[in-house]
Amino acid sequence: MNTPDQVVIGIDVGSTTVKMTVVDPGSKEILWSKYLRHETRQPEMTRDMLREIHAAFPSLTKDQIRVFITGSGGSPIAPQIGAKFVQEVNAVTMAVEKLHPDVGSVIELGGQDAKIIMFKKNNETGDKTAQTSMNDKCASGTGATIDKCVLKVGMPREEVPSLKFDPTKLHHVAAKCGVFAETDIVNLVKSGIPRNEIMNSLADAIVSQNLAVLTRGNTLKSKVLLLGGPNTYLPFLQECWRLRIPEAWAERGYEYDKTVPIEDLIFVPKNSDLYAAYGAVLFGLYEPETVGRYRGLEPLEEFIQHGRKSKLGESAGPGLVEVSEQRDAFVDKYRTPDYDDAVLEAGKTYRGVIGLDGGSTSSKCVFIDENENILKKVYTLSKGNPIQDMKDMFRDMRTWAADQGATLEVTGFGVTGYAGDVLERSLGADANIVETVAHMMSAKRWFPSVDVICDIGGQDIKVMFMQNGDVKNFRLSNSCSAGNGMLLQAMADQFGIPVKQYAEVAFEARLAPKFSYGCAVFLDSDRVNFQKEGYAKEELLAGLALVLPKNIWQYVVQIPRMAELGRVFVLQGGTQKNLAALKAQVDYIEKRVPNAEVYLHPHCGEAGAIGAAFESLRVTRRRGKTSFVGLDQAIDIDYTATNDEKTRCNFCPNNCSRTFIDTKTLDGKTARYISGFSCEKGTVENLDALKVLNKERQKRMKQYPNLVDYEAKLAFKSFYEPPVMPSHGTPVDDVVVKRTLLGAVRHKPVQRPFQRASAEVWAKRKDVRIGIPRVLNLYSTGPFWRTYFEVVGIDSRNVVFSDETGEEMWQAGCKYGSVDPCYPSKVCQAHIHNLLFKHHEKKPLNYIFFPSITHIPTFIVNQMDTASCPVVSGTPKVIRAAFTKETDFFAERKISYLDTAVTLNEPLLCKQQMFDEWGPLLGLTSDESDFAIDQAFKAVQAFEDEMERKGREILDEVTRENRVALVMLGRPYHNDPGLNHSVLEEFQALGYPILSMRSLPRDPETIKNLFAEDLAKGIIESGLDVSDVWPENYSTNSVQKVWAAKYAARHPNLACLDLSSFKCGHDAPTYGLIDSIIASAGKAYSALHDIDANKPSGSIKIRVKTYAHTLMLLKEKLEDQAVKKQELDRSMTEKKLEMMIALQTKLAGVGRTDDKLDRAIKTLDEQVAAWRAADEATKPKAKRPQALNVMRQ
Amino acid sequence: MSTTNDKNGSKLDDMSIEAIEAELKQFEIEERKRLGLPVDSAKQWFDAVPRTFTRDQREHTTILVSGLTMAHDLFIQAALRGIGYKVLAMDVPDNDALQYGREYGNRGQCNPTYFTVGNLVKYLDGLRDRGMSKDEIVKNHVFITAGACGPCRFGTYVTEYRKALRDSGFDGFRVLLFQQTGGLKQATGEGVGLEMNPTFFWGVVRAILIGDVLNSLGYRIRPYEVEAGAADRALETSKKIISDAFEQGTSLPVALWKARRELAKVKVDRTRAKPRVGIIGEFWAMTTEGDGNYGLQRFLEAEGAEPDIQIVTSWLLYMIWQGKYDTEQRANLRGVDKAKDEHGGSKFSLKGVDVRKRTASLWAGEQVLRGLFQTFAKAMGLYDYHLPDMDQIAEVSHAFYDNNLRGGEGHMEIGKLIQNVAYSKVNMTLSVKPFGCMPSSSVSDGIQSFITELYPQGIFLPIETNGDGAVNVYSRVQMQLFKAKQQAQKEVDKALADIGMTMDEVRAYLDKHPSMMSPFHRSPHKAGCTAADLVYEVGARKNRLSFLKERVIARVTSKDEKSHAEAHERLLAVARNAAAKTRKKNSIVSVAPEIEGTEAEDAKRPPVPAGRKSLRVVN
């Protein structure tokens, strides 16, 4: 190789690798290149590679070298070697422009982020400009996510490159963010879906997410260049792009050269790793000669030796311990007692129960004898099939006994965790309890006075608050706060440290970076940053342990005053075995809770399994027998897992891909467990079974009505009968407005004839078709719009609402968005898509009307304003932008899209706004339009009245029968089953009627009774006022939510279920308020916050089951109290009677009488006599206390 | 009342039904206890909303303020001290404040909430750490903050302050809410602690305006300073001079003049091609100068750009514009809607409002504000500064972001972007969107992406700020800044080519004309970046005679204004055409234009209703 006089070095320091190229500035030819994994030692690796370059070009002096550096880890290194830092995307853009002038767009997926570059031609200047976009923080972790998921599905690394993309077998995975995706993947693994299908689903999700969000609504132009590690090394990902991009092209009518094979249109270039490094050089060639002069290696050496550390001290916090004595003391105190499996006596039979916890990442199993001693623990990493995991563990257990010559007799079997259902069905478990209850039972066994149980597993965080020996309340991590335990483990893995040594290493750190708590993706991106800053692994591990309690208490629990929760804390769950994580938590709690007692569960990893075992012990003791098939039968159980087209559920448009796990028991029967479905319909195998199921459902619906569902349907029905519109010429009252020269306003009342348009115009209106998306505030104002259009003469069949939100609808229409707001707003694009591509295709629409509702009237009094949420009112505008940006989808179909801004709180202004919009379009006279508005308001009132009537019926009934009803606290659109994930139906199925906020009776009498105490104290003037808890009450929907919480807090028969969408800005201020309101009243409460497009079935299930447990206790309490109240009533009456008779006797003694007293005695006596008669009838021999027989004296 | 007939019985009390009832009550309590039934009804939650601040507490009470830029907070502190209050401006919120906000605030709040709420808790926590008791802290401090009636979360900041204060152990701490419309919410009656009188407002308004002027000057001068740090030193001295004048009640004009003298000492070199970067976005995030936006302004300067900031006065103008728009929209209605009372109604209603008076006072308010601003601007050397034309911003953005939609910066984020591109005000526009901001990141972001489609030549970058991940944000800014730098250089090269001079010649010319080297000098606006403007000005001036001649001609014919207006009009037309396309809708009928007196023209048609004109449907 001829060494030129000058060379330019391009360095790319990425999140996992360092890449370098040496380029001849004259020919721009690459003379030398290399890339290596840096294992977080970026400066060292850079130094080593530069040394290699020196060795390869021995004749070059440093004056002959210029250096340009790029990549996420480049900036701290740049000044040390004299390099100029070049932004990564710019570097890639330069390289692509040089090497592939015909490329229209670039997709680069990295470890942490994704970037898209789109080359656009400016029609004015003819210049080609590059538009670039990078993913925002919430959607990062693409490459890292794939890596983690490969681990989760248990796919050997070498198998990954040979994987083929198969679009026919895909399952739902949310790629919105890494943690969401992982949660879905865990669920798929648990459902026994084959790993290649899971990986394909993940690839598809990542591709769809990038196409939907990262392109910001633009179409990727051909040719498409794929760059970055995942794109290069995962052929199935490439195949997925090659499938999905042309689909998007077809949908958007984008013309591309179809003669070129798709592999050439969407391609991965050779040496794709080096693009950024090479681009940095090209970039540098534009810079003045003085820029990027190489300084040699000495300053870098100096930096590696000393520079980094001194910088860190400024921003870091202290480590876990200051001196090693602290560590030793802590370890001594919290070391779990050594556990060894019991030694069995040969020839003896051991009777006991098995508890099994099918957790997210691992499964645990315990054998407990009838005296509650733990004899054996078994643990296995989940292999994706709960049956197989069980078999392996049971076999272990049997072998353990057999090796010692003993026999196990299993007298009971209890399960909990993700795998609970499948094992219950196939093995006949005696108990299948929800994890939270299992953990509680286990903690109580060792710590009877426990106040707070904090269980940290691999995926979930569960915190339970106890009262009187039962769960009073609980908090559960959601999709956004899950995966903390896993992250600790993954981090240890990354540094090549066995997780058992995590604590040992972390305790060495004397300073620790301050991670900002939050979701695991955020933490991971922090980790990358800290690593760049030069923190050592022990410091990172310590920092990550230190952030765990913040995540638990500040992010998941959200109760800042911890001392109010109690004093005795029990920490359990697999992650607690990590003493570093434990120390961080103990310190955190002790700092905030005076005299806290913090205990570590002696079997913290198996707490769930132990709880399940205890429960089975209790159940079998009561029942006297077990339903368990037996240990040997369980081990020998045959199963087949089928997942193909035949097992796909076709009962609804979701077409869930299901897995049938068929287990054969020894008596030849088949127990089928179906997994992978997202709704109840998926639980049946054929149509007849569905019919039965539907019948059951109907019956249940009637018995326990769901008013949320009812409201969702009613809002869009044509139910209001308006009066006939006045005929032309009917005298009407009006006001003439005049503006004076100086702008003053004069109003003059007049009477004039009503004006109607001609019959021809009315005839034309009849056939006009108007599409309206079934979204957002339309759920509370639907009757308004429908009535308006019907009154002005549009056929009721021509007022067309889009379908209810569903998975299929979302998938079909989710690719228009350029922003990523809350799901309720984001889903609007799919509804517009539904109107355009489904309803319009069926029968053409003339208009799509999506009003921007700015204000909504309310029944709340004393409210500051009646504002809608700004996202909700602005979404129609965002939708317009999205659907007209590149192609005008409306104009193409001759549809007018109307996003009229309307305030519903000012009827006169509303009339003006609606007439201004619709008058010219439908040939309305202002009188017609105004009349229709008046009727529209009445229709809304009728809607509200109907809901209230229904609500009153239910509430009266449950009050009478001492039952519990659930009220959903949510925003109007949470009525949409696609947005509330049908979670209400689950409670309905358990026998709780569901009320909507609108259906809470608000008649003066009810309100006065319910809020009597507050009214008496004078803190509010009306029961419809919320200023006692929230003076800043201007947002109609939020305020109604808070009011409903107050209502439920005061009504003995109501419990709340609080729904809130991910990113909901207006719900955020209400979290604390609702919590205070409900907690202060000591009411039952459960929340499902951060709802998004994906349905986290696993976590919903835990919530529903745990809350069902609470509701059951509440119901029992109501029943008990009702009985006691009767008793109280009777004893009070009898006491009163007794006292009155005494008074009567006294009066008689002084020769006086009192008529009123005599009458009262008579009434009371009759009442008491009636009771007594009833007693006699039911229990003829029951003896009443003598005191009651006063009347006979 | 039922009593016995005995008038002289001493045990009358024992012998009444009332006495029995009273005894029964006691019996009930015992029975309830026996049966395990609750004795008292559940305790319901109630927020006492502490905000009593009386005159006699003034002596020992420190009023805490914060929330704007460092200069503003300092001047407000000084102005209020000057009229006799004990005031302390807290530091600009940093990442520690964010952590406090996250710990004690609700989950899912927007970033400005976390930063500002956390900042107060952090300060109070610091006092506690230094040994002050909770009671002392609560007794001796109040916090005053601005609020609104929505529709975004800005209106609920004070709810969040109370929650965070309660949860961090400062129960009873008083937060006074200064409503943007409608004065201060505090205990009313005799002797209020904070008097919202003209003296107060005069002080605050001057502090805001002067803060704006000083900040704008700083961002104009600092990027071009010859000696690093000179501008900051001059600015610090100026701040001290001005705040002393506020605090000691000495002459403000003299102080402004002195400050100007300090700033005049900074040597600048505007021949360096630096892209001008307009910062728009959510109000707090684009205004703050700390971790809340990763110190974006300073970062841009360090990366070789000239930041073009938004000022607080614009926000005040937006408030006035809202008042005008909302009034005008309702003035022509046939009647007035119900005014807000405890049973509903609207706060926008014109019931009982003298429209003429309100319009006139809003107009006058705007004139005074603009006049005062320009007076201070001229006094301090901020020349040729154009306060935004709110009506135009509203007009160009309306079709894309309806003027009726409020919250945050509302349509302004769209309007300012259009103006920035259409007027080539800047080389690049950065829209700062705090994490979780509803109007900014969920609405205007989507519409801005449509606007960038209209103006492919504009360099635009929306960035989300969430307190962490600074590296990513910087990287994205650098990415766009690269293009902006190229654009700025192109502009300068073109300018040089247009005037036929080299940069060295331009520099030589400048050396001979020191007035153009003044830090206050402002070249007429021609291009996006300052250097190009300067080059064009040198080109125009190099021939002194023809320059003067042209200037006279231009003055007479308003040639410059006209050509500017035309050029701008062409670009604004893009937005207007797109808007017209958006507004075009298919009708099922033909509608005649609205004409007065249709009766006379077409006797057969029914009479037009009084008040609002109806439409004339032709078929």
Side-chain angles (χ1 to χ4, degrees), chain A residues 326-465:
Chain A
Q326 285 176 340
R327 173 198 61 200
D328 298 342
F330 181 82
V331 173
D332 274 353
K333 187 171 172 197
Y334 281 96
R335 180 181 292 127
T336 37
D338 288 337
Y339 167 84
D340 284 314
D341 291 335
V343 178
L344 304 182
E345 245 174 77
K348 200 174 159 190
T349 300
Y350 288 83
R351 285 168 57 89
V353 294
I354 294 180
L356 189 150
D357 177 5
S360 60
T361 43
S362 60
S363 290
K364 295 117 223 166
C365 200
V366 291
F367 182 79
I368 292 179
D369 72 11
E370 291 180 326
N371 300 321
E372 301 192 354
N373 298 313
I374 300 171
L375 301 186
K376 172 75 182 162
K377 291 181 185 176
V378 191
Y379 166 95
T380 182
L381 272 177
S382 297
K383 287 175 289 293
N385 184 323
I387 303 270
Q388 190 54 49
D389 291 345
M390 173 277 296
K391 288 174 74 156
D392 293 350
M393 290 193 292
F394 279 17
R395 192 172 290 125
D396 264 14
M397 201 171 266
R398 187 175 64 182
T399 314
W400 159 75
D403 285 352
Q404 302 182 70
T407 328
L408 299 181
E409 187 188 338
V410 182
T411 57
F413 176 47
V415 283
T416 184
Y418 285 90
D421 290 347
V422 61
L423 294 175
E424 184 188 15
R425 294 271 284 272
S426 51
L427 300 185
D430 296 299
N432 174 13
I433 52 176
V434 63
E435 288 101 310
T436 44
V437 177
H439 285 126
M440 174 197 80
M441 298 189 73
S442 158
K444 255 170 59 183
R445 157 75 173 70
W446 277 274
F447 310 99
S449 60
V450 58
D451 293 312
V452 181
I453 302 165
C454 182
D455 183 276
I456 319 290
Q459 194 71 11
D460 294 331
I461 295 173
K462 309 179 194 82
V463 184
M464 287 146 277
F465 313 110

Side-chain angles (χ1 to χ4, degrees), chain A residues 745-797:
Chain A
V745 178
R746 305 262 180 274
H747 290 149
K748 188 177 141 204
V750 291
Q751 207 181 45
R752 59 165 185 81
F754 189 91
Q755 202 196 29
R756 281 182 74 157
S758 65
E760 296 87 61
V761 173
W762 274 80
K764 276 188 185 174
R765 281 183 209 155
K766 207 169 160 43
D767 297 327
V768 168
R769 278 172 63 82
I770 301 174
I772 305 177
R774 189 188 294 254
V775 295
L776 302 175
N777 281 338
L778 278 292
Y779 271 93
S780 60
T781 62
F784 186 92
W785 314 107
R786 176 174 274 287
T787 306
Y788 178 80
F789 293 121
E790 287 182 6
V791 168
V792 299
I794 288 167
D795 193 295
S796 75
R797 278 165 307 180

Side-chain angles (χ1 to χ4, degrees), chain A residues 85 87 89-90 120 130 132 134 137 216 218 283 516-517 554-555 558 560-561 592 728 734-737 739 742 745 747 752 755 761 764 768 818-819 821 847 854-855 861-865 868 870-871 877-878 880-881 884-885 894 896 898 901 905-909 912 915 917 919-921 923 926 930 1013 1028-1032 1034 1049-1050 1065-1066 1068-1069 1071-1072 1076 1080-1081 1089-1090 1121 1124 1127-1128 1131-1132 1135-1136 1139 1143 1147 1152 1154, chain B residues 2-6 15 20-21 23-24 27-28 31 35 38 41-47 49 99 102-103 105-109 149-153 155-156 158-159 162 166-167 171 328 330-337 340 342-343 345-348 355-356 400 402 404-406 438 441-443 445-447 449-450 453 462 466 468 471 475-476 478-480 482-483 582 585-589 591 606-607 609-612 614-615 617 619:
Chain A
F85 179 74
Q87 206 282 334
V89 180
N90 292 331
K120 286 205 170 184
T132 47
M134 278 169 83
K137 196 174 171 183
R216 290 175 67 83
N218 293 300
F283 181 99
S516 52
Y517 71 93
Q554 297 177 25
Y555 201 56
Q558 285 269 313
R561 299 201 213 192
R592 286 160 177 82
H728 191 76
D734 197 9
V735 169
V736 176
V737 189
R739 298 291 292 271
L742 291 168
V745 178
H747 290 149
R752 59 165 185 81
Q755 202 196 29
V761 173
K764 276 188 185 174
V768 168
S818 54
V819 282
Y847 303 99
T854 60
H855 293 81
V861 303
N862 217 354
Q863 194 172 310
M864 277 168 78
D865 193 10
S868 300
V871 179
K877 302 287 169 188
V878 178
R880 173 194 288 285
T884 56
K885 197 175 158 187
K894 298 197 171 53
S896 299
L898 308 169
N905 192 41
E906 293 167 86
L908 282 173
L909 181 58
Q912 178 80 55
F915 175 69
E917 185 75 292
L921 304 180
S926 61
D930 291 359
E1013 231 171 273
D1028 55 333
V1029 292
W1030 198 19
E1032 295 79 26
Y1034 55 79
R1050 285 159 178 81
H1066 267 314
Y1071 292 154
S1076 301
S1080 178
H1089 287 171
D1090 295 330
Q1121 283 195 348
K1124 286 176 181 170
E1127 208 180 319
L1128 176 72
S1131 72
M1132 292 282 292
K1135 176 80 179 170
K1136 194 171 178 183
M1139 289 162 75
L1143 177 62
L1147 288 175
R1152 296 207 166 80
D1154 182 331
Chain B
S2 164
T3 60
T4 67
N5 299 328
D6 191 350
M15 291 169 71
I20 291 179
E21 292 293 346
E23 207 182 321
L24 265 178
F27 177 73
E28 182 180 350
E31 278 294 279
L35 292 165
S41 53
K43 198 173 147 254
Q44 300 294 349
W45 187 66
F46 166 68
D47 185 354
V49 191
Q99 297 305 338
R102 283 190 186 159
E103 173 162 4
N106 277 300
R107 198 164 32 82
Q109 283 288 20
C149 301
C152 90
R153 270 177 290 186
T156 58
V158 65
T159 315
R162 284 197 306 271
R166 262 196 314 273
D167 289 344
D171 293 77
E328 195 48 42
R330 286 161 180 82
N332 293 324
L333 296 179
R334 286 188 285 180
V336 282
D337 278 307
K340 195 186 121 40
E342 64 273 28
H343 297 292
S346 168
K347 64 172 187 171
F348 299 100
V355 173
R356 186 181 47 179
F400 314 109
D402 198 291
N404 287 295
L405 303 182
R406 302 289 162 77
M438 298 194 280
S441 67
S442 295
V443 183
D445 198 15
I447 300 167
S449 94
F450 175 83
E453 197 74 14
N466 52 22
D468 355 287
V471 177
S475 156
R476 298 169 75 166
Q478 283 167 335
M479 182 168 105
Q480 295 302 87
F482 167 64
K483 288 199 263 176
T582 284
K585 292 150 199 162
N586 305 324
S587 172
I588 61 159
V589 293
V591 182
R612 188 203 311 156
S614 192
L615 296 155
V617 176
N619 64 345

Side-chain angles (χ1 to χ4, degrees), chain A residues 1116-1182:
Chain A
E1116 285 175 7
K1117 191 174 143 200
L1118 282 175
E1119 284 166 0
D1120 292 353
Q1121 283 195 348
V1123 174
K1124 286 176 181 170
K1125 270 188 190 146
Q1126 272 180 7
E1127 208 180 319
L1128 176 72
D1129 196 23
R1130 182 163 173 176
S1131 72
M1132 292 282 292
T1133 312
E1134 286 171 347
K1135 176 80 179 170
K1136 194 171 178 183
L1137 183 59
E1138 185 187 349
M1139 289 162 75
M1140 282 186 167
I1141 289 171
L1143 177 62
Q1144 194 183 39
T1145 317
K1146 260 191 205 170
L1147 288 175
V1150 292
R1152 296 207 166 80
T1153 54
D1154 182 331
D1155 291 350
K1156 208 172 167 184
L1157 182 67
D1158 295 346
R1159 277 199 305 276
I1161 288 175
K1162 191 162 177 274
T1163 321
L1164 292 178
D1165 188 40
E1166 278 166 10
Q1167 172 70 66
V1168 172
W1171 277 328
R1172 218 170 295 137
D1175 283 348
E1176 295 294 319
T1178 50
K1179 293 182 207 156
K1181 283 174 191 167

Side-chain angles (χ1 to χ4, degrees), chain A residues 478-489:
Chain A
N478 54 28
S479 325
C480 273
S481 47
N484 276 277
M486 193 67 189
L487 188 72
L488 290 173
Q489 195 182 327

Side-chain angles (χ1 to χ4, degrees), chain A residues 142-440:
Chain A
T142 46
T145 308
I146 297 176
D147 275 356
K148 276 192 212 154
C149 290
V150 168
L151 281 180
K152 282 222 157 114
V153 300
M155 182 173 267
R157 285 217 166 265
E158 57 279 9
E159 233 177 74
V160 180
S162 57
L163 192 63
K164 287 266 166 261
F165 185 70
D166 176 3
T168 59
K169 285 182 182 167
L170 295 177
H171 311 268
H172 179 86
V173 173
K176 182 184 161 44
C177 96
V179 177
F180 281 29
E182 278 174 54
T183 311
D184 280 351
I185 294 225
V186 167
N187 285 335
L188 291 175
V189 170
K190 297 293 142 195
S191 312
I193 308 286
R195 53 199 181 197
N196 58 330
E197 289 179 25
I198 300 180
M199 290 310 295
N200 277 331
S201 306
L202 175 67
D204 196 50
I206 289 175
V207 166
S208 304
Q209 166 75 12
N210 280 313
L211 286 178
V213 178
L214 204 54
T215 55
R216 290 175 67 83
N218 293 300
T219 310
L220 291 172
K221 305 278 191 301
S222 107
K223 298 175 170 178
V224 182
L225 187 67
L226 304 175
L227 290 178
N231 277 337
T232 312
Y233 301 113
L234 305 175
F236 67 106
L237 192 61
Q238 297 171 15
E239 286 160 25
C240 185
W241 286 114
R242 287 187 186 121
L243 180 77
R244 297 301 179 211
I245 295 174
E247 276 177 10
W249 284 342
E251 198 171 289
R252 295 182 177 199
Y254 169 71
E255 295 296 329
Y256 63 99
D257 189 354
K258 295 194 179 74
T259 58
V260 180
I262 194 73
E263 287 75 22
D264 294 341
L265 281 181
I266 301 166
F267 67 104
V268 182
K270 273 187 196 147
N271 296 326
S272 69
D273 293 310
L274 297 174
Y275 272 52
Y278 182 59
V281 172
L282 295 177
F283 181 99
L285 295 178
Y286 283 91
E287 293 287 314
E289 277 291 320
T290 51
V291 175
R293 304 302 326 186
Y294 182 54
R295 292 176 64 196
L297 284 173
E298 294 77 24
L300 183 60
E301 287 285 6
E302 172 67 22
F303 175 69
I304 291 168
Q305 298 297 330
H306 311 291
R308 267 194 300 175
K309 282 286 161 202
S310 62
K311 259 180 79 181
L312 297 180
E314 297 162 13
S315 57
L320 285 160
V321 288
E322 283 162 14
V323 286
S324 44
E325 287 74 33
Q326 285 176 340
R327 173 198 61 200
D328 298 342
F330 181 82
V331 173
D332 274 353
K333 187 171 172 197
Y334 281 96
R335 180 181 292 127
T336 37
D338 288 337
Y339 167 84
D340 284 314
D341 291 335
V343 178
L344 304 182
E345 245 174 77
K348 200 174 159 190
T349 300
Y350 288 83
R351 285 168 57 89
V353 294
I354 294 180
L356 189 150
D357 177 5
S360 60
T361 43
S362 60
S363 290
K364 295 117 223 166
C365 200
V366 291
F367 182 79
I368 292 179
D369 72 11
E370 291 180 326
N371 300 321
E372 301 192 354
N373 298 313
I374 300 171
L375 301 186
K376 172 75 182 162
K377 291 181 185 176
V378 191
Y379 166 95
T380 182
L381 272 177
S382 297
K383 287 175 289 293
N385 184 323
I387 303 270
Q388 190 54 49
D389 291 345
M390 173 277 296
K391 288 174 74 156
D392 293 350
M393 290 193 292
F394 279 17
R395 192 172 290 125
D396 264 14
M397 201 171 266
R398 187 175 64 182
T399 314
W400 159 75
D403 285 352
Q404 302 182 70
T407 328
L408 299 181
E409 187 188 338
V410 182
T411 57
F413 176 47
V415 283
T416 184
Y418 285 90
D421 290 347
V422 61
L423 294 175
E424 184 188 15
R425 294 271 284 272
S426 51
L427 300 185
D430 296 299
N432 174 13
I433 52 176
V434 63
E435 288 101 310
T436 44
V437 177
H439 285 126
M440 174 197 80

